[in-house]
Amino acid sequence: SARFVASAVSASRGFVRVDARSIVSPVRRAGGRSARIASRSGHHISLATSSTAAVPTDIPEQQDSISAEENPNDDDTTTIPSTGSLTRAIVAMEDDSADAMYETILQWSMDVKGVELYEAQEEAILELVEGNNVLLTTPTGSGKTMVATAAIAAATARGDAAWYTAPLKALVTEKFFQLVKDFGAKNVGLLTGDASVNPTAPIICCTAEVLANAALRRGRDLDCGLIVADEFHFYTDPDRGWAWQVPMVELPDAQFLLMSATFGDTSKFQRHLERNAAGRDVGVVGGGERPVPLEFEYRETSLIESIKELVDTDRAPVYIVNFSQREANERAQDLCSTLSLTADEKKALNAELEGFKFDTPVGNELRRYISFGVGVHHAGLLPKYRLLVERLAGKGLLKCICGTDTLGVGVNVPIRAVLFTQLCKFDGNKTRLLTIREFQQIAGRAGRRGFDTKGFVWCQAPAHVVENKRAEAKAAAAAAKSGGKAKKVKKTKPPDKNFVMWNEDNFRRMETGVPETLDSSFQVTHSMILAVLSRRGDGKRFLRDLLVNNHEPKIRQRKHQRRAISMYRSLKDAGIIQEAGTMDTSGRAVNLGFDIGDQFSLTQPLSLFAVEYLPTLLKVHGEDHSKRSKLKDERYALDVLSVLEAVLDTPGAVVSAQLNKAKTRAVNKMKGEGTEYDARMAVLEEMDYPKPLADELEAYFEPFKRRHPYVGGEELKPKSIARELYESGFDFNKYVTHYGLNRSEGALMRYLTDAYKAMVQNVPESMKSPAVIDLEEWLGETIRMVDSSLIDEWEALKDPVAAARAAEDEAAALAAIGATPRERFTAGRAFRVMVRNAAFRWVQLLAIGEEEDMAQLASENLPPRGRDKPWTMDELYAAVDPYWQTHDAMDDGYEARSPDLFDLSDDGADGETHWRVVQKVRDPAGDLDWCVEGEVDLEASEEEGRVVMRLVEIRQEGDVRKEEEKVVPSEEDIWAALEEEEDYEDEDE
């Protein structure tokens, strides 16, 4: 058996293991258990702005040791009796042996959890307490979380820091709460890239990218003794798989617990781990019966019939698997006419929904689905709606969930039945059958331990097959009744597009087959290179080791090495890195070349192009930020944003909506002007969605590609989405409504989040002018206004007691959220930017002046205080008509946006509840004799989480150029003048 000492000698395995980190941090690991189990100070939370792909800046040099804590509520010990119970059990141990640790965990699981471990769990825990690596391949629902908890207990008992990783923030947060309950709030931290909670804790829950980037930046100096990698099959994901591979390469001293129900062949991972410096044995634990058995059935009934049968036979909730967001929404719509809730079910559902805001354009649609017991879950929805569906399903309040494969990753949602609508999917390149792994991952959602005794996995036959069989049966029945020969049935054909035929044989092969081998998905990026080069020591040697020791086949390794060399030279030529020649005082052989901020990161394939191009904007707008006017600085900031948008992936639904909207307006205008059909079509053919700086960027990109061969087939993608959102004065909801993006809210939100992260990470501090900072804060606040679900959750964790209670008592967690003081929305810098944009939106709508625009102006703004009746279009037209009698046009372009034309007064008698705003209108003559006045309702804005404006009046100011006012004759005057002219002509004759 093993002894838990720093050198970790294992006599039973016949080798000596020396923990290299005990050399790095000898003080912490000296002195045995009494020194290791030490108290620690303070609980820490911070909300970061870095992406998941960037390591938070507050990861400490060394994690704290685990420590027992008093029950956080001694006066009410019944509220959370089990919080920190495993930590107390570890501290109470008098024997450091593996056997003693194993017995402690078994006893704790029975006494506190009330469960007896399965054989596979016991085997895995035995391997882990002896310090071995473990590949856990047991089926879904077989208690992998318990094994992970045991591994963390053993690691922290011997003084090691433990890191739990998962692919999704929601899953990481869920595991965080579970571990808080077992180990105590002050022993568990959370790092997701967007927030850090208690980062010095000995147990860290984080997304896989956070640990991977920490490993790249710190290497073997990272304080990490155990890595628990959940959902390890993401190793083969083309975009994210590198994050599961990097820790195995960069942290060879750590102990690994790799977990997946669809591992497939494990032999290569055994070889990789056996070669690690720590020399640990590798145990593979798998097989065994699924705790909740699954019943598989291939169905040749209609989809609605299958769903009704599942619901009517008490097999709900049913997860209806679609492979497009459109189909998921259509299924939910169809079920609203099929399913219903009882009075008691409606009462329980309404109680759970109390206080939840369906406050985006798609909200009413989702509320209607949910009222029938139907949830929708896919990536096109905002996170708060997906979390709501998961919560309602967990409480048994939904009968069906129509989703894509987003529920196929281990968030603990109790699903009794999984119904596949088809077995083919479009993977971005082509339509193909599901892989065995994809099928089994989704099917594994059915039947959850503690909720069900059996799970059900059904698969629909292709719809045309069902229709043809039904038609044949009907014809046969008719023939039998008449005694004649069955009529020939005209068969329905399969779809022409986006379809691959499947049958019951495919279904059975997916049910029983072995998952495909996990292939390496390593990739080299600028961000990876910068992370490794920033490490103390010889960064170039560390980079070489990573490129040689990764899991790629040799032929791909050489390709990565050539790409890395090309990228390194590009970064050097751009001045982002500088070679020191010898190690400098910081212990680095390579330095960063300019004032890159703590959160600087090149996360997109063409991020370096953006960084290289940005200085050219200084030549256009001036290098000294302080000498620019506010208007020019804002133009500079928007151009910075356009450069960053050009290297982001394009959300097709959004730009298509932009183009369609522009074409609709253009057609209506041309029809009004009498333009011929062919001419209209020719104009539409040339139209495109907005692309600011497209010509300038393309001209710079061509020589950039020649200098940087690694760019390959990458292309610029100029667009204006975040910029248009700012310039239009829309908030998120209005933008969605304007373009009809109700079912793409999630896609739009992800894009805006990427744009915000690019602002934070890709713009050097020296290029951040006041307007750039304003724009950055405005974009961040816009995102937080739309969906603060995760921020609200993290806010509850500022108090460790609240964090502990959250795992045990959801009501207590929600109370903690409400009790936590947060900065007022209206007090921030971003709010004033939003107010100014909203005021300029008035000018934009008035300048176009179509009925659609005036209706929007009337509906979006409250009337003045003291007036109950809202504005009408006729009233607004009447108010602005005098302007058009004296001016030919209304400017809504660049110059009209000048901050000098906007005034905000917040120091009046009612400045705490209302602000007065005046937006001047820029006319062609430059008279500036018209303005729009309004008020900002601060209380309503705070309550609704958006800018709430009151339109007070549209008026002319002063006596400017009164002598040149146009006199518009009446109709009677015109006819009188014509008659007089005719009389004059007659007299001449």
Side-chain angles (χ1 to χ4, degrees), residues 71-128:
N71 192 307
N73 189 0
D74 290 329
D75 296 331
D76 184 13
T77 57
T78 60
T79 305
I80 42 175
S82 60
T83 302
S85 57
L86 185 50
T87 297
R88 292 194 293 274
I90 295 170
V91 173
M93 287 175 56
E94 297 180 357
D95 184 357
D96 279 359
S97 70
D99 291 340
M101 173 57 67
Y102 175 73
E103 292 298 331
T104 298
I105 292 170
L106 258 61
Q107 192 65 44
W108 172 81
S109 69
M110 288 187 289
D111 293 345
V112 177
K113 295 294 186 181
V115 297
E116 188 173 342
L117 299 183
Y118 300 127
E119 183 179 341
Q121 288 176 307
E122 292 182 354
E123 182 182 349
I125 292 171
L126 272 171
E127 293 278 358
L128 290 162

Side-chain angles (χ1 to χ4, degrees), residues 15 17 99 101 159 172 193 266 286 359 372 380 394 408 417 489 492 561 574 715 734 770 824 843 866 877 917 937 970:
F15 61 86
R17 266 191 315 273
D99 291 340
M101 173 57 67
V172 170
T266 62
D359 54 359
F372 287 93
V489 175
T492 303
Q561 289 161 10
E715 295 293 340
K734 291 175 183 176
R824 286 175 59 85
V843 175
Y877 273 126
V917 295
D937 190 325
S970 67

Side-chain angles (χ1 to χ4, degrees), residues 474-492:
K474 185 177 180 180
K481 185 176 181 180
S482 64
K485 185 179 179 182
K487 292 182 179 180
K488 187 176 181 180
V489 175
K490 183 179 180 180
K491 293 191 174 183
T492 303

Side-chain angles (χ1 to χ4, degrees), residues 701-723:
F701 186 61
E702 288 305 316
F704 178 85
K705 286 176 68 174
R706 291 193 293 271
R707 294 196 307 273
H708 307 290
Y710 67 84
V711 170
E714 294 288 345
E715 295 293 340
L716 285 178
K717 300 172 278 284
K719 53 194 163 294
S720 178
I721 297 175
R723 178 170 181 159

Side-chain angles (χ1 to χ4, degrees), residues 613-622 636 639-640 643 693 767:
Y613 183 85
L614 285 176
T616 65
L617 296 178
L618 298 177
K619 299 177 181 177
V620 177
H621 298 283
Y636 163 74
D639 283 353
V640 168
V643 173
L693 301 181
M767 299 196 67

Side-chain angles (χ1 to χ4, degrees), residues 712-832:
E714 294 288 345
E715 295 293 340
L716 285 178
K717 300 172 278 284
K719 53 194 163 294
S720 178
I721 297 175
R723 178 170 181 159
E724 184 188 50
L725 181 64
Y726 179 91
E727 290 184 318
S728 67
F730 284 131
D731 60 22
F732 180 88
N733 288 351
K734 291 175 183 176
Y735 193 84
V736 169
T737 301
H738 182 72
Y739 284 120
L741 297 170
N742 296 32
R743 295 184 178 179
S744 299
E745 288 181 352
L748 176 59
M749 176 56 65
R750 283 192 298 277
Y751 177 84
L752 295 177
T753 302
D754 287 342
Y756 173 60
K757 290 172 180 176
M759 290 284 289
V760 173
Q761 296 171 340
N762 294 167
V763 182
E765 291 298 323
S766 62
M767 299 196 67
K768 290 190 176 182
S769 68
V772 173
I773 295 171
D774 280 348
L775 187 58
E776 181 182 304
E777 292 198 13
W778 163 83
L779 190 51
E781 188 61 33
T782 297
I783 294 166
R784 283 186 284 271
M785 283 166 54
V786 176
D787 190 350
S788 62
S789 54
L790 293 180
I791 293 177
D792 288 342
E793 192 170 57
W794 290 321
E795 288 286 340
L797 308 180
K798 288 183 177 179
D799 181 355
V801 175
R805 287 179 181 275
E808 193 76 21
D809 184 354
E810 184 178 4
L814 294 175
I817 292 172
T820 303
R822 294 176 56 186
E823 181 184 16
R824 286 175 59 85
F825 162 59
T826 55
R829 182 175 182 174
F831 180 73
R832 291 176 178 257

Side-chain angles (χ1 to χ4, degrees), residues 398-639:
L398 296 179
K399 295 185 177 182
C400 292
I401 300 174
C402 301
T404 55
D405 53 359
T406 53
L407 268 180
V409 181
V411 177
N412 188 25
V413 178
I415 299 295
R416 185 163 295 164
V418 169
L419 176 58
F420 286 87
T421 59
Q422 61 188 56
L423 291 180
C424 63
K425 65 178 286 187
F426 180 71
D427 63 5
N429 296 312
K430 66 179 187 301
T431 301
R432 58 168 176 80
L433 290 178
L434 300 181
T435 65
I436 294 174
R437 171 171 290 106
E438 289 169 339
F439 175 85
Q440 292 183 358
Q441 275 298 136
I442 299 171
R445 295 289 94 206
R448 307 299 290 176
R449 184 185 180 189
F451 294 94
D452 307 306
T453 56
K454 183 187 289 187
F456 304 89
V457 180
W458 288 9
C459 174
Q460 289 295 118
H464 73 280
V465 172
V466 174
E467 290 179 21
N468 291 336
K469 290 207 171 193
R470 179 167 292 181
E472 289 171 354
K474 185 177 180 180
K481 185 176 181 180
S482 64
K485 185 179 179 182
K487 292 182 179 180
K488 187 176 181 180
V489 175
K490 183 179 180 180
K491 293 191 174 183
T492 303
K493 294 182 179 180
D496 296 328
K497 296 180 179 179
N498 301 324
F499 178 81
V500 173
M501 184 65 186
W502 73 90
N503 54 34
E504 187 170 1
D505 290 339
N506 300 122
F507 175 65
R508 298 302 173 187
R509 182 179 63 83
M510 293 178 185
E511 172 193 346
T512 59
V514 177
E516 300 79 5
T517 300
L518 292 172
D519 292 325
S520 169
S521 292
F522 186 81
Q523 53 184 293
V524 178
T525 64
H526 288 111
S527 185
M528 177 182 286
I529 292 173
L530 284 175
V532 175
L533 294 177
S534 68
R535 195 186 305 175
R536 292 190 185 94
D538 190 348
K540 293 170 71 174
R541 180 176 65 82
F542 296 144
L543 182 58
R544 176 197 170 277
D545 291 344
L546 175 62
L547 295 170
V548 170
N549 296 329
N550 63 66
H551 301 172
E552 294 280 271
K554 292 295 182 184
I555 188 169
R556 293 216 300 260
Q557 277 191 350
R558 287 193 287 272
K559 181 180 177 181
H560 292 316
Q561 289 161 10
R562 289 193 295 269
R563 178 178 172 87
I565 291 171
S566 176
M567 286 182 163
Y568 181 90
R569 289 171 176 166
S570 299
L571 291 167
K572 184 179 175 182
D573 292 343
I576 294 176
I577 59 174
Q578 296 176 349
E579 294 182 352
T582 58
M583 289 191 192
D584 61 14
T585 54
S586 65
R588 293 180 175 86
V590 176
N591 295 322
L592 300 180
F594 58 94
D595 63 330
I596 296 175
D598 288 338
Q599 300 183 57
F600 183 86
S601 178
L602 300 178
T603 55
Q604 299 292 327
L606 293 178
S607 291
L608 179 61
F609 169 81
V611 173
E612 189 174 306
Y613 183 85
L614 285 176
T616 65
L617 296 178
L618 298 177
K619 299 177 181 177
V620 177
H621 298 283
E623 297 189 6
D624 190 340
H625 301 319
S626 64
K627 292 184 179 179
R628 290 192 208 112
S629 67
K630 290 181 179 180
L631 179 61
K632 288 185 177 180
D633 197 28
E634 183 180 58
R635 184 63 176 267
Y636 163 74
L638 291 170
D639 283 353

